[in-house]
PDB file of all heavy atoms in Angstrom:
ATOM      1  N   TYR A 212       4.736   5.843  13.323  1.00 87.00           N
ATOM      2  CA  TYR A 212       3.595   6.730  13.535  1.00 87.00           C
ATOM      3  C   TYR A 212       2.377   5.999  13.960  1.00 87.00           C
ATOM      4  O   TYR A 212       2.163   4.865  13.482  1.00 87.00           O
ATOM      5  CB  TYR A 212       3.344   7.578  12.272  1.00 87.00           C
ATOM      6  CG  TYR A 212       4.455   8.546  11.936  1.00 87.00           C
ATOM      7  CD1 TYR A 212       5.547   8.096  11.103  1.00 87.00           C
ATOM      8  CD2 TYR A 212       4.446   9.810  12.381  1.00 87.00           C
ATOM      9  CE1 TYR A 212       6.584   8.956  10.839  1.00 87.00           C
ATOM     10  CE2 TYR A 212       5.530  10.743  12.056  1.00 87.00           C
ATOM     11  CZ  TYR A 212       6.572  10.228  11.333  1.00 87.00           C
ATOM     12  OH  TYR A 212       7.579  11.074  11.015  1.00 87.00           O
ATOM     13  N   PRO A 213       1.534   6.631  14.814  1.00 81.00           N
ATOM     14  CA  PRO A 213       0.289   5.996  15.189  1.00 81.00           C
ATOM     15  C   PRO A 213      -0.548   5.744  13.910  1.00 81.00           C
ATOM     16  O   PRO A 213      -0.543   6.560  12.943  1.00 81.00           O
ATOM     17  CB  PRO A 213      -0.395   6.976  16.097  1.00 81.00           C
ATOM     18  CG  PRO A 213       0.734   7.789  16.629  1.00 81.00           C
ATOM     19  CD  PRO A 213       1.777   7.855  15.519  1.00 81.00           C
ATOM     20  N   ASN A 214      -1.253   4.603  13.868  1.00 72.00           N
ATOM     21  CA  ASN A 214      -1.996   4.236  12.698  1.00 72.00           C
ATOM     22  C   ASN A 214      -3.342   4.888  12.656  1.00 72.00           C
ATOM     23  O   ASN A 214      -4.419   4.319  12.705  1.00 72.00           O
ATOM     24  CB  ASN A 214      -2.243   2.681  12.753  1.00 72.00           C
ATOM     25  CG  ASN A 214      -1.997   2.024  11.416  1.00 72.00           C
ATOM     26  OD1 ASN A 214      -2.084   2.694  10.378  1.00 72.00           O
ATOM     27  ND2 ASN A 214      -1.710   0.724  11.489  1.00 72.00           N
ATOM     28  N   ASP A 215      -3.298   6.269  12.540  1.00 71.00           N
ATOM     29  CA  ASP A 215      -4.570   6.985  12.546  1.00 71.00           C
ATOM     30  C   ASP A 215      -4.455   8.183  11.585  1.00 71.00           C
ATOM     31  O   ASP A 215      -3.362   8.488  11.069  1.00 71.00           O
ATOM     32  CB  ASP A 215      -4.974   7.488  13.954  1.00 71.00           C
ATOM     33  CG  ASP A 215      -3.852   8.306  14.588  1.00 71.00           C
ATOM     34  OD1 ASP A 215      -3.172   9.074  13.887  1.00 71.00           O
ATOM     35  OD2 ASP A 215      -3.659   8.232  15.833  1.00 71.00           O
ATOM     36  N   ARG A 216      -5.620   8.774  11.341  1.00 73.00           N
ATOM     37  CA  ARG A 216      -5.668   9.851  10.328  1.00 73.00           C
ATOM     38  C   ARG A 216      -4.860  11.073  10.735  1.00 73.00           C
ATOM     39  O   ARG A 216      -4.311  11.825   9.944  1.00 73.00           O
ATOM     40  CB  ARG A 216      -7.134  10.194  10.090  1.00 73.00           C
ATOM     41  CG  ARG A 216      -7.346  11.201   8.997  1.00 73.00           C
ATOM     42  CD  ARG A 216      -8.826  11.454   8.689  1.00 73.00           C
ATOM     43  NE  ARG A 216      -9.060  12.412   7.673  1.00 73.00           N
ATOM     44  CZ  ARG A 216     -10.253  12.735   7.207  1.00 73.00           C
ATOM     45  NH1 ARG A 216     -11.324  12.163   7.739  1.00 73.00           N
ATOM     46  NH2 ARG A 216     -10.434  13.647   6.228  1.00 73.00           N
ATOM     47  N   GLU A 217      -4.881  11.370  12.059  1.00 75.00           N
ATOM     48  CA  GLU A 217      -4.211  12.602  12.612  1.00 75.00           C
ATOM     49  C   GLU A 217      -2.808  12.633  12.309  1.00 75.00           C
ATOM     50  O   GLU A 217      -2.187  13.723  12.144  1.00 75.00           O
ATOM     51  CB  GLU A 217      -4.436  12.701  14.095  1.00 75.00           C
ATOM     52  CG  GLU A 217      -5.896  13.032  14.483  1.00 75.00           C
ATOM     53  CD  GLU A 217      -6.818  11.902  14.364  1.00 75.00           C
ATOM     54  OE1 GLU A 217      -6.395  10.685  14.220  1.00 75.00           O
ATOM     55  OE2 GLU A 217      -8.071  12.124  14.303  1.00 75.00           O
ATOM     56  N   HIS A 218      -2.076  11.453  12.149  1.00 86.00           N
ATOM     57  CA  HIS A 218      -0.645  11.424  11.964  1.00 86.00           C
ATOM     58  C   HIS A 218      -0.291  11.102  10.529  1.00 86.00           C
ATOM     59  O   HIS A 218       0.882  10.954  10.229  1.00 86.00           O
ATOM     60  CB  HIS A 218       0.024  10.428  12.879  1.00 86.00           C
ATOM     61  CG  HIS A 218      -0.106  10.815  14.298  1.00 86.00           C
ATOM     62  ND1 HIS A 218      -1.182  10.521  15.138  1.00 86.00           N
ATOM     63  CD2 HIS A 218       0.732  11.483  15.142  1.00 86.00           C
ATOM     64  CE1 HIS A 218      -0.998  10.986  16.325  1.00 86.00           C
ATOM     65  NE2 HIS A 218       0.155  11.519  16.406  1.00 86.00           N
ATOM     66  N   LEU A 219      -1.254  11.033   9.664  1.00 88.00           N
ATOM     67  CA  LEU A 219      -1.000  10.632   8.277  1.00 88.00           C
ATOM     68  C   LEU A 219      -0.084  11.630   7.539  1.00 88.00           C
ATOM     69  O   LEU A 219       0.839  11.181   6.858  1.00 88.00           O
ATOM     70  CB  LEU A 219      -2.341  10.444   7.533  1.00 88.00           C
ATOM     71  CG  LEU A 219      -2.387   9.545   6.306  1.00 88.00           C
ATOM     72  CD1 LEU A 219      -1.808   8.143   6.639  1.00 88.00           C
ATOM     73  CD2 LEU A 219      -3.772   9.439   5.784  1.00 88.00           C
ATOM     74  N   GLU A 220      -0.365  12.882   7.656  1.00 92.00           N
ATOM     75  CA  GLU A 220       0.423  13.871   6.955  1.00 92.00           C
ATOM     76  C   GLU A 220       1.888  13.857   7.448  1.00 92.00           C
ATOM     77  O   GLU A 220       2.799  13.995   6.651  1.00 92.00           O
ATOM     78  CB  GLU A 220      -0.136  15.255   7.101  1.00 92.00           C
ATOM     79  CG  GLU A 220      -1.384  15.494   6.273  1.00 92.00           C
ATOM     80  CD  GLU A 220      -1.830  16.968   6.217  1.00 92.00           C
ATOM     81  OE1 GLU A 220      -1.176  17.789   6.893  1.00 92.00           O
ATOM     82  OE2 GLU A 220      -2.739  17.294   5.491  1.00 92.00           O
ATOM     83  N   GLU A 221       2.084  13.721   8.725  1.00 93.00           N
ATOM     84  CA  GLU A 221       3.477  13.574   9.281  1.00 93.00           C
ATOM     85  C   GLU A 221       4.178  12.440   8.621  1.00 93.00           C
ATOM     86  O   GLU A 221       5.370  12.544   8.302  1.00 93.00           O
ATOM     87  CB  GLU A 221       3.418  13.449  10.801  1.00 93.00           C
ATOM     88  CG  GLU A 221       2.879  14.591  11.572  1.00 93.00           C
ATOM     89  CD  GLU A 221       2.814  14.281  13.068  1.00 93.00           C
ATOM     90  OE1 GLU A 221       3.833  13.753  13.568  1.00 93.00           O
ATOM     91  OE2 GLU A 221       1.798  14.550  13.718  1.00 93.00           O
ATOM     92  N   MET A 222       3.514  11.334   8.534  1.00 93.00           N
ATOM     93  CA  MET A 222       4.127  10.168   7.904  1.00 93.00           C
ATOM     94  C   MET A 222       4.469  10.374   6.437  1.00 93.00           C
ATOM     95  O   MET A 222       5.542  10.023   5.967  1.00 93.00           O
ATOM     96  CB  MET A 222       3.160   8.931   8.100  1.00 93.00           C
ATOM     97  CG  MET A 222       3.842   7.569   7.678  1.00 93.00           C
ATOM     98  SD  MET A 222       3.710   7.200   5.975  1.00 93.00           S
ATOM     99  CE  MET A 222       1.971   6.768   5.874  1.00 93.00           C
ATOM    100  N   TRP A 223       3.501  10.960   5.749  1.00 95.00           N
ATOM    101  CA  TRP A 223       3.786  11.297   4.307  1.00 95.00           C
ATOM    102  C   TRP A 223       4.942  12.173   4.122  1.00 95.00           C
ATOM    103  O   TRP A 223       5.762  11.961   3.232  1.00 95.00           O
ATOM    104  CB  TRP A 223       2.485  11.987   3.729  1.00 95.00           C
ATOM    105  CG  TRP A 223       1.318  11.112   3.518  1.00 95.00           C
ATOM    106  CD1 TRP A 223       1.316   9.698   3.425  1.00 95.00           C
ATOM    107  CD2 TRP A 223      -0.063  11.480   3.374  1.00 95.00           C
ATOM    108  NE1 TRP A 223       0.059   9.245   3.241  1.00 95.00           N
ATOM    109  CE2 TRP A 223      -0.815  10.308   3.189  1.00 95.00           C
ATOM    110  CE3 TRP A 223      -0.703  12.738   3.409  1.00 95.00           C
ATOM    111  CZ2 TRP A 223      -2.204  10.363   3.024  1.00 95.00           C
ATOM    112  CZ3 TRP A 223      -2.119  12.780   3.252  1.00 95.00           C
ATOM    113  CH2 TRP A 223      -2.822  11.572   3.036  1.00 95.00           C
ATOM    114  N   ILE A 224       5.086  13.203   4.994  1.00 95.00           N
ATOM    115  CA  ILE A 224       6.256  14.113   4.834  1.00 95.00           C
ATOM    116  C   ILE A 224       7.548  13.423   5.162  1.00 95.00           C
ATOM    117  O   ILE A 224       8.509  13.566   4.479  1.00 95.00           O
ATOM    118  CB  ILE A 224       6.042  15.335   5.783  1.00 95.00           C
ATOM    119  CG1 ILE A 224       4.833  16.186   5.278  1.00 95.00           C
ATOM    120  CG2 ILE A 224       7.282  16.204   5.912  1.00 95.00           C
ATOM    121  CD1 ILE A 224       4.362  17.255   6.301  1.00 95.00           C
ATOM    122  N   ASP A 225       7.516  12.617   6.215  1.00 96.00           N
ATOM    123  CA  ASP A 225       8.730  11.928   6.650  1.00 96.00           C
ATOM    124  C   ASP A 225       9.200  11.003   5.548  1.00 96.00           C
ATOM    125  O   ASP A 225      10.394  10.983   5.179  1.00 96.00           O
ATOM    126  CB  ASP A 225       8.494  11.155   7.924  1.00 96.00           C
ATOM    127  CG  ASP A 225       9.814  10.684   8.570  1.00 96.00           C
ATOM    128  OD1 ASP A 225      10.839  10.859   7.994  1.00 96.00           O
ATOM    129  OD2 ASP A 225       9.705  10.032   9.634  1.00 96.00           O
ATOM    130  N   ARG A 226       8.323  10.227   4.913  1.00 96.00           N
ATOM    131  CA  ARG A 226       8.790   9.235   3.945  1.00 96.00           C
ATOM    132  C   ARG A 226       9.317   9.881   2.643  1.00 96.00           C
ATOM    133  O   ARG A 226      10.273   9.425   2.084  1.00 96.00           O
ATOM    134  CB  ARG A 226       7.609   8.219   3.567  1.00 96.00           C
ATOM    135  CG  ARG A 226       6.530   8.767   2.730  1.00 96.00           C
ATOM    136  CD  ARG A 226       5.545   7.705   2.419  1.00 96.00           C
ATOM    137  NE  ARG A 226       4.399   8.174   1.707  1.00 96.00           N
ATOM    138  CZ  ARG A 226       3.384   7.510   1.274  1.00 96.00           C
ATOM    139  NH1 ARG A 226       3.363   6.180   1.582  1.00 96.00           N
ATOM    140  NH2 ARG A 226       2.353   8.023   0.644  1.00 96.00           N
ATOM    141  N   MET A 227       8.725  11.032   2.287  1.00 97.00           N
ATOM    142  CA  MET A 227       9.199  11.715   1.110  1.00 97.00           C
ATOM    143  C   MET A 227      10.540  12.490   1.406  1.00 97.00           C
ATOM    144  O   MET A 227      11.486  12.507   0.581  1.00 97.00           O
ATOM    145  CB  MET A 227       8.172  12.710   0.574  1.00 97.00           C
ATOM    146  CG  MET A 227       8.657  13.425  -0.745  1.00 97.00           C
ATOM    147  SD  MET A 227       9.244  12.286  -2.053  1.00 97.00           S
ATOM    148  CE  MET A 227       7.731  11.570  -2.619  1.00 97.00           C
ATOM    149  N   ASN A 228      10.639  12.996   2.679  1.00 96.00           N
ATOM    150  CA  ASN A 228      11.960  13.582   3.031  1.00 96.00           C
ATOM    151  C   ASN A 228      13.075  12.585   2.976  1.00 96.00           C
ATOM    152  O   ASN A 228      14.192  12.871   2.490  1.00 96.00           O
ATOM    153  CB  ASN A 228      11.866  14.184   4.442  1.00 96.00           C
ATOM    154  CG  ASN A 228      11.402  15.578   4.473  1.00 96.00           C
ATOM    155  OD1 ASN A 228      11.722  16.398   3.556  1.00 96.00           O
ATOM    156  ND2 ASN A 228      10.637  15.990   5.494  1.00 96.00           N
ATOM    157  N   ARG A 229      12.810  11.373   3.413  1.00 97.00           N
ATOM    158  CA  ARG A 229      13.835  10.300   3.361  1.00 97.00           C
ATOM    159  C   ARG A 229      14.116   9.918   1.940  1.00 97.00           C
ATOM    160  O   ARG A 229      15.284   9.589   1.638  1.00 97.00           O
ATOM    161  CB  ARG A 229      13.352   9.122   4.209  1.00 97.00           C
ATOM    162  CG  ARG A 229      13.253   9.422   5.704  1.00 97.00           C
ATOM    163  CD  ARG A 229      12.783   8.159   6.447  1.00 97.00           C
ATOM    164  NE  ARG A 229      12.509   8.509   7.849  1.00 97.00           N
ATOM    165  CZ  ARG A 229      12.868   7.672   8.856  1.00 97.00           C
ATOM    166  NH1 ARG A 229      13.476   6.544   8.623  1.00 97.00           N
ATOM    167  NH2 ARG A 229      12.578   8.021  10.129  1.00 97.00           N
ATOM    168  N   THR A 230      13.124   9.871   1.167  1.00 97.00           N
ATOM    169  CA  THR A 230      13.326   9.535  -0.291  1.00 97.00           C
ATOM    170  C   THR A 230      14.116  10.578  -0.987  1.00 97.00           C
ATOM    171  O   THR A 230      15.145  10.236  -1.687  1.00 97.00           O
ATOM    172  CB  THR A 230      11.901   9.358  -0.999  1.00 97.00           C
ATOM    173  OG1 THR A 230      11.149   8.414  -0.344  1.00 97.00           O
ATOM    174  CG2 THR A 230      12.116   9.007  -2.456  1.00 97.00           C
ATOM    175  N   LEU A 231      13.842  11.821  -0.754  1.00 97.00           N
ATOM    176  CA  LEU A 231      14.549  12.904  -1.383  1.00 97.00           C
ATOM    177  C   LEU A 231      15.993  12.991  -0.868  1.00 97.00           C
ATOM    178  O   LEU A 231      16.945  13.240  -1.616  1.00 97.00           O
ATOM    179  CB  LEU A 231      13.835  14.260  -1.136  1.00 97.00           C
ATOM    180  CG  LEU A 231      12.467  14.401  -1.807  1.00 97.00           C
ATOM    181  CD1 LEU A 231      11.800  15.678  -1.323  1.00 97.00           C
ATOM    182  CD2 LEU A 231      12.639  14.473  -3.317  1.00 97.00           C
ATOM    183  N   SER A 232      16.224  12.717   0.386  1.00 96.00           N
ATOM    184  CA  SER A 232      17.557  12.704   0.945  1.00 96.00           C
ATOM    185  C   SER A 232      18.410  11.642   0.343  1.00 96.00           C
ATOM    186  O   SER A 232      19.586  11.838   0.014  1.00 96.00           O
ATOM    187  CB  SER A 232      17.532  12.501   2.468  1.00 96.00           C
ATOM    188  OG  SER A 232      16.926  13.581   3.106  1.00 96.00           O
ATOM    189  N   ALA A 233      17.805  10.475   0.014  1.00 96.00           N
ATOM    190  CA  ALA A 233      18.495   9.394  -0.603  1.00 96.00           C
ATOM    191  C   ALA A 233      18.871   9.695  -2.069  1.00 96.00           C
ATOM    192  O   ALA A 233      19.842   9.159  -2.610  1.00 96.00           O
ATOM    193  CB  ALA A 233      17.697   8.103  -0.592  1.00 96.00           C
ATOM    194  N   LEU A 234      18.151  10.697  -2.617  1.00 95.00           N
ATOM    195  CA  LEU A 234      18.473  11.179  -3.973  1.00 95.00           C
ATOM    196  C   LEU A 234      19.427  12.346  -3.956  1.00 95.00           C
ATOM    197  O   LEU A 234      19.653  13.006  -4.986  1.00 95.00           O
ATOM    198  CB  LEU A 234      17.194  11.557  -4.656  1.00 95.00           C
ATOM    199  CG  LEU A 234      16.161  10.448  -4.961  1.00 95.00           C
ATOM    200  CD1 LEU A 234      14.855  11.024  -5.549  1.00 95.00           C
ATOM    201  CD2 LEU A 234      16.758   9.452  -5.936  1.00 95.00           C
ATOM    202  N   ASN A 235      19.933  12.699  -2.700  1.00 94.00           N
ATOM    203  CA  ASN A 235      20.749  13.858  -2.537  1.00 94.00           C
ATOM    204  C   ASN A 235      19.990  15.195  -2.887  1.00 94.00           C
ATOM    205  O   ASN A 235      20.546  16.136  -3.353  1.00 94.00           O
ATOM    206  CB  ASN A 235      22.015  13.810  -3.344  1.00 94.00           C
ATOM    207  CG  ASN A 235      22.944  12.716  -2.964  1.00 94.00           C
ATOM    208  OD1 ASN A 235      23.136  12.428  -1.735  1.00 94.00           O
ATOM    209  ND2 ASN A 235      23.496  11.922  -3.962  1.00 94.00           N
ATOM    210  N   GLU A 236      18.702  15.123  -2.636  1.00 93.00           N
ATOM    211  CA  GLU A 236      17.825  16.261  -2.826  1.00 93.00           C
ATOM    212  C   GLU A 236      17.175  16.751  -1.540  1.00 93.00           C
ATOM    213  O   GLU A 236      16.254  17.489  -1.534  1.00 93.00           O
ATOM    214  CB  GLU A 236      16.679  15.893  -3.826  1.00 93.00           C
ATOM    215  CG  GLU A 236      17.195  15.533  -5.210  1.00 93.00           C
ATOM    216  CD  GLU A 236      17.628  16.732  -6.037  1.00 93.00           C
ATOM    217  OE1 GLU A 236      17.382  17.873  -5.582  1.00 93.00           O
ATOM    218  OE2 GLU A 236      18.273  16.541  -7.067  1.00 93.00           O
ATOM    219  N   GLY A 237      17.775  16.316  -0.411  1.00 82.00           N
ATOM    220  CA  GLY A 237      17.250  16.730   0.837  1.00 82.00           C
ATOM    221  C   GLY A 237      17.384  18.189   1.151  1.00 82.00           C
ATOM    222  O   GLY A 237      18.289  18.855   0.624  1.00 82.00           O
ATOM    223  N   ASN A 238      16.508  18.711   1.963  1.00 85.00           N
ATOM    224  CA  ASN A 238      16.471  20.159   2.416  1.00 85.00           C
ATOM    225  C   ASN A 238      16.198  21.148   1.223  1.00 85.00           C
ATOM    226  O   ASN A 238      16.362  22.329   1.420  1.00 85.00           O
ATOM    227  CB  ASN A 238      17.834  20.499   3.078  1.00 85.00           C
ATOM    228  CG  ASN A 238      18.099  19.697   4.312  1.00 85.00           C
ATOM    229  OD1 ASN A 238      17.201  19.404   5.094  1.00 85.00           O
ATOM    230  ND2 ASN A 238      19.382  19.267   4.424  1.00 85.00           N
ATOM    231  N   LYS A 239      15.808  20.615   0.088  1.00 91.00           N
ATOM    232  CA  LYS A 239      15.431  21.520  -1.037  1.00 91.00           C
ATOM    233  C   LYS A 239      13.911  21.737  -1.166  1.00 91.00           C
ATOM    234  O   LYS A 239      13.505  22.668  -1.837  1.00 91.00           O
ATOM    235  CB  LYS A 239      15.976  20.962  -2.339  1.00 91.00           C
ATOM    236  CG  LYS A 239      17.503  20.881  -2.420  1.00 91.00           C
ATOM    237  CD  LYS A 239      17.974  20.313  -3.764  1.00 91.00           C
ATOM    238  CE  LYS A 239      19.436  20.153  -3.842  1.00 91.00           C
ATOM    239  NZ  LYS A 239      19.933  19.631  -5.152  1.00 91.00           N
ATOM    240  N   TYR A 240      13.192  20.830  -0.459  1.00 94.00           N
ATOM    241  CA  TYR A 240      11.738  20.876  -0.664  1.00 94.00           C
ATOM    242  C   TYR A 240      11.065  20.912   0.698  1.00 94.00           C
ATOM    243  O   TYR A 240      11.358  20.060   1.554  1.00 94.00           O
ATOM    244  CB  TYR A 240      11.229  19.726  -1.462  1.00 94.00           C
ATOM    245  CG  TYR A 240      11.889  19.667  -2.821  1.00 94.00           C
ATOM    246  CD1 TYR A 240      13.084  18.892  -3.017  1.00 94.00           C
ATOM    247  CD2 TYR A 240      11.399  20.401  -3.924  1.00 94.00           C
ATOM    248  CE1 TYR A 240      13.707  18.919  -4.285  1.00 94.00           C
ATOM    249  CE2 TYR A 240      11.994  20.332  -5.173  1.00 94.00           C
ATOM    250  CZ  TYR A 240      13.150  19.615  -5.356  1.00 94.00           C
ATOM    251  OH  TYR A 240      13.808  19.554  -6.537  1.00 94.00           O
TER     252      TYR A 240
END
């Protein structure tokens, strides 16, 4: 993601989605 404020939320969502998927909790949140 571009290193700026505009894309910060996208990055936050992506990293937690990946974390939850690794816990087999993907697509629940």
Side-chain angles (χ1 to χ4, degrees):
Y212 293 86
N214 223 337
D215 55 37
R216 185 175 181 179
E217 288 73 19
H218 294 84
L219 203 53
E220 285 192 356
E221 294 178 46
M222 189 273 286
W223 287 339
I224 292 168
D225 192 359
R226 73 177 176 184
M227 183 51 74
N228 271 326
R229 293 179 187 222
T230 301
L231 293 170
S232 293
L234 296 173
N235 296 318
E236 296 286 345
N238 301 318
K239 296 181 182 180
Y240 303 93

